[in-house]
Amino acid sequence: MAAPARPITDAERWFRERYARTPERDALFTTLSGEPVEPLYTETDLPDREQIGFPGEFPFTRGVYPSMYRGRLWTMRQFAGFGTAEETNERFRYLLDHGQTGLSTAFDMPSLMGHDSDHPRSEGEVGREGVAIDSLEDMETLFGGIDMGAVSTSMTINAPAATT
């Protein structure tokens, strides 16, 4: 004798009636770590409560901060940098005064390629599309007067990233 049919779940109904109407492209859907990404997750996919932990505590499945974005908003970083460290510092201060909570430094091409501004290969490129940084003093000027404990920063270095 056959077992009685179990009722269809909402997730199964969604998959059959909605998702299957528009087939997926022929591609792998995985995370960068190679873990498969399903088209839908429901409460049945959750691990036991003991395995999830609490927000801000190991294994950090609910985020790294106890209050996450209820306590602290996303960092808003403006990508900026041009000319000299002094000019970029002035721009950074303007951005912070107008609500930015982070800074992402755009370096000029000679700085990205590891050349000082006076290097022959730097001619015509210094400070054109980013800030020229040649020394520790330039970095100190770049962030002078900015509370580094209160501001999130990043150094965007695309050109040499593949070789470093």
Side-chain angles (χ1 to χ4, degrees):
M1 179 170 174
R6 68 171 175 77
I8 186 171
T9 67
D10 288 340
E12 289 169 327
R13 183 176 295 106
W14 170 84
F15 189 84
R16 290 179 189 169
E17 295 176 6
R18 310 268 326 232
Y19 191 79
R21 281 195 231 151
T22 54
E24 291 181 351
R25 358 181 213 107
D26 186 20
L28 288 177
F29 295 95
T30 64
T31 66
L32 290 175
S33 302
E35 293 295 319
V37 177
E38 299 300 329
L40 174 67
Y41 290 95
T42 67
E43 62 278 356
T44 62
D45 296 298
L46 290 172
D48 293 333
R49 188 172 177 198
E50 296 77 35
Q51 292 177 297
I52 294 176
F54 288 98
E57 297 179 7
F58 181 83
F60 303 104
T61 55
R62 296 184 183 190
V64 295
Y65 302 112
S67 62
M68 284 308 291
Y69 300 107
R70 289 175 173 254
R72 182 176 143 202
L73 293 174
W74 290 87
T75 299
M76 294 181 291
R77 281 198 193 105
Q78 177 70 47
F79 185 56
F82 50 88
T84 66
E86 292 87 357
E87 291 169 318
T88 301
N89 176 273
E90 185 178 328
R91 177 67 176 167
F92 281 172
R93 290 164 165 270
Y94 173 85
L95 293 169
L96 293 170
D97 287 345
H98 288 84
Q100 291 300 304
T101 55
L103 303 168
S104 183
T105 305
F107 295 99
D108 69 355
M109 192 53 70
S111 296
L112 287 172
M113 299 309 293
H115 296 301
D116 285 337
S117 295
D118 60 358
H119 189 282
R121 289 189 176 168
S122 300
E123 188 174 340
E125 296 296 328
V126 177
R128 282 187 63 176
E129 78 284 346
V131 61
I133 299 293
D134 297 321
S135 66
L136 176 59
E137 184 179 340
D138 288 340
M139 287 298 286
E140 290 170 345
T141 300
L142 183 67
F143 293 109
I146 296 172
D147 181 359
M148 299 303 285
V151 175
S152 170
T153 61
S154 71
M155 308 290 138
T156 304
I157 54 166
N158 297 328
T163 60
T164 55

